[in-house]
Amino acid sequence: MIHGVRLEDGRAAWYRNRWVRTRSFTGDTTEGPETDLTASVANTHVVNHAGRTLALVESSLPYEITSELDTVGPYDFHGKLRTAMTAHPKICPETGELHFFGYGKAEPYLTYHRADAHGELEFSRPIPVPGPTMMHDFALTSRHVIFLDLPVVFDPATHVGMPFRWDDGYGARIGVLSRTDPAGDVRWYPIEPCYVFHVLNAHEVNHEIVLHVVRYPHLWREGSEDRLADLWRWRIDTRTGTVHEEQLDDRACEFPRIDDRFAGLDVRYGQVTARDALIRYDLHTGAATTHTFAPGRTPGEAVFAPPNWLITYVYDQSTGTSEVVILDATDLRTVVATVHLPGRVPQGFHGNWIAD
């Protein structure tokens, strides 16, 4: 289900929610997502590129929706996309290109794709990895595409939760592909085993590639209790082939976001969501500011909207309803506006600010 609030002329014009009418929702398919890429739940993210708004889940094709949240239908880039599509594509702010990948349980396990600024899928290629890894997110810089080949792998015998498990023998590494030679070799850099659902950002500094990620020490590992994630920085030295790994904070968090207009560049600020707070980091100085919500009020992912706003859904346990809360990104103590919604917006995953 997609939830949306339209803001115009200093007020909320409407709130609405709509089911994404995928073929699995309407019952028009008897096949699962392994055989029918349109058998989607489209429940993870919403992005807009080249005039199309796409509802995404990483196991399937995207579904196009309108600005009124009505379903247009599955979108396969005019028949060119033959894999699933990640829920975390990246738009290059310099070229307007859309970079993304698809992963699956059969070879090729991973395929990289690039669409031009007009939305035409112009390049696809497999990326060799040793097994069916669950690659949820990746990173983009001005010169490279960054892949995370980590030890959570597909296992159909897993009967609790998602069909994935931790594999101690798989290893962990970061792959770097040149954007100027996308058909060339991927250079791999080993790291300590871990898992990353979400990347905050990546950028280049001379011979280094700097990644900020929300890192789990392990995930779905048999016999081990899962620990929460926190913010880390990885510095890839492309001359020595080494990675310096550094924990930046010990506060549990998820859903890292930046101002997407600067994705892949040396953006200074990024925010994450904690259990009852939003934390905004100065990635240059290491300083952090926090907006803590009142007890019983739980924020979701905070999305940046120009020029300097952070927007999030907040659930209020005492009333059973939700609000859209807009904060000043330059001073998280300041709540600029609140939109009271008629009901509860369930805890979800991701969203975006889409300007007309």
Side-chain angles (χ1 to χ4, degrees):
M1 178 178 279
I2 300 289
H3 298 258
V5 174
R6 183 174 183 86
L7 304 177
E8 59 184 11
D9 299 327
R11 60 182 293 272
W14 51 250
Y15 160 77
R16 64 185 54 166
N17 55 58
R18 297 288 186 272
W19 293 107
V20 183
R21 302 189 66 82
T22 68
R23 290 181 181 170
S24 58
F25 175 80
T26 60
D28 294 334
T29 179
T30 58
E31 300 175 299
E34 297 84 1
T35 53
D36 182 356
L37 290 178
T38 67
S40 171
V41 293
N43 71 345
T44 306
H45 204 3
V46 183
V47 300
N48 181 271
H49 179 255
R52 295 181 188 272
T53 300
L54 304 176
L56 301 166
V57 66
E58 64 200 60
S59 59
S60 308
L61 289 173
Y63 265 73
E64 184 178 357
I65 62 173
T66 71
S67 59
E68 304 296 311
L69 309 188
D70 296 317
T71 302
V72 177
Y75 184 65
D76 62 3
F77 292 83
H78 310 296
K80 295 180 180 179
L81 180 60
R82 298 181 177 89
T83 72
M85 180 176 177
T86 176
H88 290 287
K90 310 297 181 188
I91 299 173
C92 175
E94 298 173 302
T95 66
E97 296 168 336
L98 182 74
H99 297 255
F100 61 98
F101 65 88
Y103 76 82
K105 66 177 185 179
E107 293 187 271
Y109 300 119
L110 177 65
T111 304
Y112 162 64
H113 304 281
R114 184 186 69 213
D116 66 19
H118 305 291
E120 293 297 322
L121 187 60
E122 59 180 5
F123 183 82
S124 298
R125 63 156 292 188
I127 303 292
V129 294
T133 181
M134 184 181 74
M135 190 178 295
H136 185 74
D137 200 356
F138 75 130
L140 185 74
T141 72
S142 57
R143 293 185 292 172
H144 294 96
V145 184
I146 317 297
F147 301 100
L148 306 178
D149 188 20
L150 305 175
V152 171
V153 298
F154 177 78
D155 184 355
T158 301
H159 300 296
V160 178
M162 298 179 69
F164 296 95
R165 63 173 175 82
W166 180 272
D167 184 347
D168 278 317
Y170 189 87
R173 58 184 188 164
I174 302 171
V176 176
L177 174 66
S178 172
R179 288 179 56 180
T180 60
D181 184 20
D185 292 337
V186 177
R187 187 176 181 187
W188 294 99
Y189 300 81
I191 58 173
E192 287 297 313
C194 63
Y195 192 74
V196 170
F197 275 115
H198 301 119
V199 173
L200 176 64
N201 192 41
H203 69 275
E204 313 253 353
V205 181
N206 298 321
H207 59 276
E208 281 192 336
I209 299 172
V210 181
L211 282 81
H212 289 91
V213 301
V214 173
R215 178 189 184 274
Y216 294 80
H218 53 76
L219 188 71
W220 303 326
R221 185 180 189 183
E222 186 176 358
S224 299
E225 183 177 347
D226 287 335
R227 289 169 51 193
L228 297 177
D230 41 40
L231 187 66
W232 283 60
R233 179 168 54 217
W234 291 333
R235 294 185 179 273
I236 304 170
D237 190 320
T238 58
R239 294 187 303 186
T240 65
T242 58
V243 180
H244 176 71
E245 306 177 54
E246 178 185 8
Q247 184 179 4
L248 300 182
D249 201 343
D250 61 2
R251 286 178 285 184
C253 66
E254 252 298 353
F255 302 136
R257 294 297 296 263
I258 61 167
D259 179 349
D260 290 330
R261 296 175 301 171
F262 305 103
L265 305 177
D266 186 12
V267 65
R268 181 167 181 175
Y269 296 99
Q271 63 270 354
V272 299
T273 302
R275 182 175 181 179
D276 62 351
L278 299 179
I279 307 170
R280 186 154 169 89
Y281 292 99
D282 183 329
L283 301 174
H284 289 178
T285 68
T289 56
T290 303
H291 182 97
T292 302
F293 292 86
R297 290 173 57 80
T298 305
E301 180 181 63
V303 175
F304 185 90
N308 282 304
W309 316 126
L310 291 182
I311 306 176
T312 183
Y313 287 105
V314 177
Y315 172 64
D316 190 326
Q317 186 177 4
S318 66
T319 63
T321 60
S322 296
E323 298 171 342
V324 174
V325 176
I326 304 174
L327 299 101
D328 185 342
T330 66
D331 182 1
L332 288 191
R333 296 170 299 179
T334 304
V335 176
V336 178
T338 300
V339 180
H340 302 280
L341 303 180
R344 178 178 70 96
V345 176
Q347 291 296 111
F349 297 118
H350 307 284
N352 260 322
W353 168 257
I354 297 174
D356 287 344

PDB file of all heavy atoms in Angstrom, residues 273-295:
ATOM      1  N   THR A 273      17.295   7.121  11.324  1.00  0.00           N
ATOM      2  CA  THR A 273      16.160   7.008  12.236  1.00  0.00           C
ATOM      3  C   THR A 273      16.515   6.056  13.357  1.00  0.00           C
ATOM      4  O   THR A 273      16.937   4.917  13.104  1.00  0.00           O
ATOM      5  CB  THR A 273      14.908   6.507  11.505  1.00  0.00           C
ATOM      6  OG1 THR A 273      14.599   7.410  10.433  1.00  0.00           O
ATOM      7  CG2 THR A 273      13.716   6.422  12.441  1.00  0.00           C
ATOM      8  N   ALA A 274      16.371   6.515  14.590  1.00  0.00           N
ATOM      9  CA  ALA A 274      16.513   5.663  15.762  1.00  0.00           C
ATOM     10  C   ALA A 274      15.114   5.292  16.249  1.00  0.00           C
ATOM     11  O   ALA A 274      14.110   5.656  15.642  1.00  0.00           O
ATOM     12  CB  ALA A 274      17.314   6.371  16.844  1.00  0.00           C
ATOM     13  N   ARG A 275      15.047   4.592  17.352  1.00  0.00           N
ATOM     14  CA  ARG A 275      13.748   4.102  17.820  1.00  0.00           C
ATOM     15  C   ARG A 275      12.761   5.230  18.089  1.00  0.00           C
ATOM     16  O   ARG A 275      11.594   5.154  17.702  1.00  0.00           O
ATOM     17  CB  ARG A 275      13.927   3.268  19.084  1.00  0.00           C
ATOM     18  CG  ARG A 275      12.632   2.689  19.611  1.00  0.00           C
ATOM     19  CD  ARG A 275      12.873   1.774  20.781  1.00  0.00           C
ATOM     20  NE  ARG A 275      11.626   1.197  21.274  1.00  0.00           N
ATOM     21  CZ  ARG A 275      11.549   0.332  22.282  1.00  0.00           C
ATOM     22  NH1 ARG A 275      12.638  -0.056  22.899  1.00  0.00           N
ATOM     23  NH2 ARG A 275      10.372  -0.138  22.656  1.00  0.00           N
ATOM     24  N   ASP A 276      13.230   6.293  18.740  1.00  0.00           N
ATOM     25  CA  ASP A 276      12.337   7.404  19.103  1.00  0.00           C
ATOM     26  C   ASP A 276      12.893   8.744  18.666  1.00  0.00           C
ATOM     27  O   ASP A 276      12.500   9.786  19.196  1.00  0.00           O
ATOM     28  CB  ASP A 276      12.086   7.418  20.612  1.00  0.00           C
ATOM     29  CG  ASP A 276      13.374   7.628  21.415  1.00  0.00           C
ATOM     30  OD1 ASP A 276      14.470   7.597  20.818  1.00  0.00           O
ATOM     31  OD2 ASP A 276      13.289   7.814  22.648  1.00  0.00           O
ATOM     32  N   ALA A 277      13.815   8.737  17.692  1.00  0.00           N
ATOM     33  CA  ALA A 277      14.509   9.983  17.369  1.00  0.00           C
ATOM     34  C   ALA A 277      14.998   9.973  15.929  1.00  0.00           C
ATOM     35  O   ALA A 277      15.105   8.928  15.283  1.00  0.00           O
ATOM     36  CB  ALA A 277      15.701  10.178  18.317  1.00  0.00           C
ATOM     37  N   LEU A 278      15.299  11.164  15.435  1.00  0.00           N
ATOM     38  CA  LEU A 278      16.051  11.354  14.209  1.00  0.00           C
ATOM     39  C   LEU A 278      17.419  11.904  14.592  1.00  0.00           C
ATOM     40  O   LEU A 278      17.518  12.800  15.438  1.00  0.00           O
ATOM     41  CB  LEU A 278      15.345  12.329  13.272  1.00  0.00           C
ATOM     42  CG  LEU A 278      13.945  11.935  12.799  1.00  0.00           C
ATOM     43  CD1 LEU A 278      13.373  13.027  11.895  1.00  0.00           C
ATOM     44  CD2 LEU A 278      13.965  10.594  12.084  1.00  0.00           C
ATOM     45  N   ILE A 279      18.464  11.362  13.979  1.00  0.00           N
ATOM     46  CA  ILE A 279      19.830  11.812  14.245  1.00  0.00           C
ATOM     47  C   ILE A 279      20.404  12.334  12.936  1.00  0.00           C
ATOM     48  O   ILE A 279      20.374  11.638  11.922  1.00  0.00           O
ATOM     49  CB  ILE A 279      20.711  10.668  14.781  1.00  0.00           C
ATOM     50  CG1 ILE A 279      20.069  10.001  15.991  1.00  0.00           C
ATOM     51  CG2 ILE A 279      22.106  11.183  15.122  1.00  0.00           C
ATOM     52  CD1 ILE A 279      20.763   8.715  16.420  1.00  0.00           C
ATOM     53  N   ARG A 280      20.919  13.551  12.963  1.00  0.00           N
ATOM     54  CA  ARG A 280      21.509  14.160  11.775  1.00  0.00           C
ATOM     55  C   ARG A 280      23.010  14.331  12.010  1.00  0.00           C
ATOM     56  O   ARG A 280      23.424  14.977  12.972  1.00  0.00           O
ATOM     57  CB  ARG A 280      20.857  15.499  11.468  1.00  0.00           C
ATOM     58  CG  ARG A 280      21.324  16.131  10.143  1.00  0.00           C
ATOM     59  CD  ARG A 280      20.255  17.041   9.627  1.00  0.00           C
ATOM     60  NE  ARG A 280      20.655  17.885   8.528  1.00  0.00           N
ATOM     61  CZ  ARG A 280      20.569  17.548   7.228  1.00  0.00           C
ATOM     62  NH1 ARG A 280      20.106  16.352   6.905  1.00  0.00           N
ATOM     63  NH2 ARG A 280      20.924  18.392   6.295  1.00  0.00           N
ATOM     64  N   TYR A 281      23.800  13.724  11.118  1.00  0.00           N
ATOM     65  CA  TYR A 281      25.252  13.715  11.269  1.00  0.00           C
ATOM     66  C   TYR A 281      25.898  14.746  10.353  1.00  0.00           C
ATOM     67  O   TYR A 281      25.513  14.880   9.189  1.00  0.00           O
ATOM     68  CB  TYR A 281      25.819  12.336  10.930  1.00  0.00           C
ATOM     69  CG  TYR A 281      25.452  11.253  11.903  1.00  0.00           C
ATOM     70  CD1 TYR A 281      24.406  10.368  11.626  1.00  0.00           C
ATOM     71  CD2 TYR A 281      26.149  11.091  13.098  1.00  0.00           C
ATOM     72  CE1 TYR A 281      24.067   9.363  12.511  1.00  0.00           C
ATOM     73  CE2 TYR A 281      25.816  10.082  13.994  1.00  0.00           C
ATOM     74  CZ  TYR A 281      24.770   9.223  13.697  1.00  0.00           C
ATOM     75  OH  TYR A 281      24.434   8.222  14.578  1.00  0.00           O
ATOM     76  N   ASP A 282      26.889  15.428  10.887  1.00  0.00           N
ATOM     77  CA  ASP A 282      27.817  16.209  10.080  1.00  0.00           C
ATOM     78  C   ASP A 282      28.951  15.247   9.725  1.00  0.00           C
ATOM     79  O   ASP A 282      29.790  14.921  10.579  1.00  0.00           O
ATOM     80  CB  ASP A 282      28.330  17.414  10.863  1.00  0.00           C
ATOM     81  CG  ASP A 282      29.244  18.312  10.038  1.00  0.00           C
ATOM     82  OD1 ASP A 282      29.942  17.791   9.143  1.00  0.00           O
ATOM     83  OD2 ASP A 282      29.277  19.526  10.303  1.00  0.00           O
ATOM     84  N   LEU A 283      28.988  14.769   8.498  1.00  0.00           N
ATOM     85  CA  LEU A 283      29.934  13.746   8.099  1.00  0.00           C
ATOM     86  C   LEU A 283      31.345  14.279   7.949  1.00  0.00           C
ATOM     87  O   LEU A 283      32.296  13.502   7.829  1.00  0.00           O
ATOM     88  CB  LEU A 283      29.471  13.096   6.793  1.00  0.00           C
ATOM     89  CG  LEU A 283      28.091  12.445   6.858  1.00  0.00           C
ATOM     90  CD1 LEU A 283      27.657  11.970   5.476  1.00  0.00           C
ATOM     91  CD2 LEU A 283      28.063  11.294   7.852  1.00  0.00           C
ATOM     92  N   HIS A 284      31.506  15.598   7.966  1.00  0.00           N
ATOM     93  CA  HIS A 284      32.839  16.205   7.902  1.00  0.00           C
ATOM     94  C   HIS A 284      33.468  16.326   9.287  1.00  0.00           C
ATOM     95  O   HIS A 284      34.660  16.077   9.459  1.00  0.00           O
ATOM     96  CB  HIS A 284      32.776  17.575   7.242  1.00  0.00           C
ATOM     97  CG  HIS A 284      32.493  17.516   5.771  1.00  0.00           C
ATOM     98  ND1 HIS A 284      32.349  18.650   4.987  1.00  0.00           N
ATOM     99  CD2 HIS A 284      32.330  16.454   4.929  1.00  0.00           C
ATOM    100  CE1 HIS A 284      32.105  18.284   3.730  1.00  0.00           C
ATOM    101  NE2 HIS A 284      32.076  16.974   3.673  1.00  0.00           N
ATOM    102  N   THR A 285      32.667  16.712  10.281  1.00  0.00           N
ATOM    103  CA  THR A 285      33.214  16.947  11.619  1.00  0.00           C
ATOM    104  C   THR A 285      32.938  15.807  12.589  1.00  0.00           C
ATOM    105  O   THR A 285      33.579  15.718  13.632  1.00  0.00           O
ATOM    106  CB  THR A 285      32.623  18.238  12.220  1.00  0.00           C
ATOM    107  OG1 THR A 285      31.216  18.032  12.480  1.00  0.00           O
ATOM    108  CG2 THR A 285      32.800  19.421  11.275  1.00  0.00           C
ATOM    109  N   GLY A 286      31.960  14.972  12.289  1.00  0.00           N
ATOM    110  CA  GLY A 286      31.570  13.911  13.206  1.00  0.00           C
ATOM    111  C   GLY A 286      30.518  14.319  14.214  1.00  0.00           C
ATOM    112  O   GLY A 286      30.040  13.478  14.991  1.00  0.00           O
ATOM    113  N   ALA A 287      30.134  15.582  14.215  1.00  0.00           N
ATOM    114  CA  ALA A 287      29.115  16.048  15.154  1.00  0.00           C
ATOM    115  C   ALA A 287      27.746  15.483  14.762  1.00  0.00           C
ATOM    116  O   ALA A 287      27.500  15.146  13.605  1.00  0.00           O
ATOM    117  CB  ALA A 287      29.065  17.571  15.169  1.00  0.00           C
ATOM    118  N   ALA A 288      26.861  15.385  15.760  1.00  0.00           N
ATOM    119  CA  ALA A 288      25.511  14.888  15.511  1.00  0.00           C
ATOM    120  C   ALA A 288      24.519  15.684  16.330  1.00  0.00           C
ATOM    121  O   ALA A 288      24.798  16.091  17.465  1.00  0.00           O
ATOM    122  CB  ALA A 288      25.413  13.407  15.870  1.00  0.00           C
ATOM    123  N   THR A 289      23.354  15.941  15.736  1.00  0.00           N
ATOM    124  CA  THR A 289      22.248  16.573  16.456  1.00  0.00           C
ATOM    125  C   THR A 289      21.060  15.616  16.424  1.00  0.00           C
ATOM    126  O   THR A 289      20.901  14.840  15.472  1.00  0.00           O
ATOM    127  CB  THR A 289      21.860  17.915  15.827  1.00  0.00           C
ATOM    128  OG1 THR A 289      21.538  17.704  14.439  1.00  0.00           O
ATOM    129  CG2 THR A 289      22.993  18.906  15.929  1.00  0.00           C
ATOM    130  N   THR A 290      20.230  15.686  17.449  1.00  0.00           N
ATOM    131  CA  THR A 290      19.159  14.711  17.617  1.00  0.00           C
ATOM    132  C   THR A 290      17.840  15.407  17.903  1.00  0.00           C
ATOM    133  O   THR A 290      17.794  16.374  18.671  1.00  0.00           O
ATOM    134  CB  THR A 290      19.479  13.748  18.777  1.00  0.00           C
ATOM    135  OG1 THR A 290      20.737  13.112  18.528  1.00  0.00           O
ATOM    136  CG2 THR A 290      18.398  12.687  18.921  1.00  0.00           C
ATOM    137  N   HIS A 291      16.788  14.931  17.264  1.00  0.00           N
ATOM    138  CA  HIS A 291      15.432  15.329  17.635  1.00  0.00           C
ATOM    139  C   HIS A 291      14.766  14.104  18.236  1.00  0.00           C
ATOM    140  O   HIS A 291      14.506  13.118  17.541  1.00  0.00           O
ATOM    141  CB  HIS A 291      14.641  15.817  16.430  1.00  0.00           C
ATOM    142  CG  HIS A 291      13.249  16.280  16.787  1.00  0.00           C
ATOM    143  ND1 HIS A 291      12.937  17.603  16.987  1.00  0.00           N
ATOM    144  CD2 HIS A 291      12.105  15.580  17.004  1.00  0.00           C
ATOM    145  CE1 HIS A 291      11.664  17.709  17.302  1.00  0.00           C
ATOM    146  NE2 HIS A 291      11.132  16.488  17.318  1.00  0.00           N
ATOM    147  N   THR A 292      14.491  14.166  19.528  1.00  0.00           N
ATOM    148  CA  THR A 292      13.846  13.056  20.221  1.00  0.00           C
ATOM    149  C   THR A 292      12.355  13.348  20.350  1.00  0.00           C
ATOM    150  O   THR A 292      11.958  14.418  20.835  1.00  0.00           O
ATOM    151  CB  THR A 292      14.468  12.850  21.608  1.00  0.00           C
ATOM    152  OG1 THR A 292      15.875  12.595  21.450  1.00  0.00           O
ATOM    153  CG2 THR A 292      13.819  11.660  22.307  1.00  0.00           C
ATOM    154  N   PHE A 293      11.540  12.404  19.936  1.00  0.00           N
ATOM    155  CA  PHE A 293      10.090  12.572  20.004  1.00  0.00           C
ATOM    156  C   PHE A 293       9.580  12.186  21.387  1.00  0.00           C
ATOM    157  O   PHE A 293      10.248  11.463  22.141  1.00  0.00           O
ATOM    158  CB  PHE A 293       9.417  11.735  18.916  1.00  0.00           C
ATOM    159  CG  PHE A 293       9.706  12.230  17.528  1.00  0.00           C
ATOM    160  CD1 PHE A 293      10.858  11.810  16.852  1.00  0.00           C
ATOM    161  CD2 PHE A 293       8.852  13.116  16.899  1.00  0.00           C
ATOM    162  CE1 PHE A 293      11.127  12.268  15.570  1.00  0.00           C
ATOM    163  CE2 PHE A 293       9.125  13.583  15.622  1.00  0.00           C
ATOM    164  CZ  PHE A 293      10.271  13.163  14.958  1.00  0.00           C
ATOM    165  N   ALA A 294       8.412  12.650  21.715  1.00  0.00           N
ATOM    166  CA  ALA A 294       7.818  12.360  23.012  1.00  0.00           C
ATOM    167  C   ALA A 294       7.584  10.864  23.170  1.00  0.00           C
ATOM    168  O   ALA A 294       7.463  10.136  22.177  1.00  0.00           O
ATOM    169  CB  ALA A 294       6.498  13.124  23.161  1.00  0.00           C
ATOM    170  N   PRO A 295       7.517  10.375  24.405  1.00  0.00           N
ATOM    171  CA  PRO A 295       7.279   8.942  24.614  1.00  0.00           C
ATOM    172  C   PRO A 295       6.028   8.464  23.884  1.00  0.00           C
ATOM    173  O   PRO A 295       4.990   9.146  23.883  1.00  0.00           O
ATOM    174  CB  PRO A 295       7.107   8.847  26.135  1.00  0.00           C
ATOM    175  CG  PRO A 295       7.903  10.004  26.681  1.00  0.00           C
ATOM    176  CD  PRO A 295       7.724  11.109  25.669  1.00  0.00           C
TER     177      PRO A 295
END
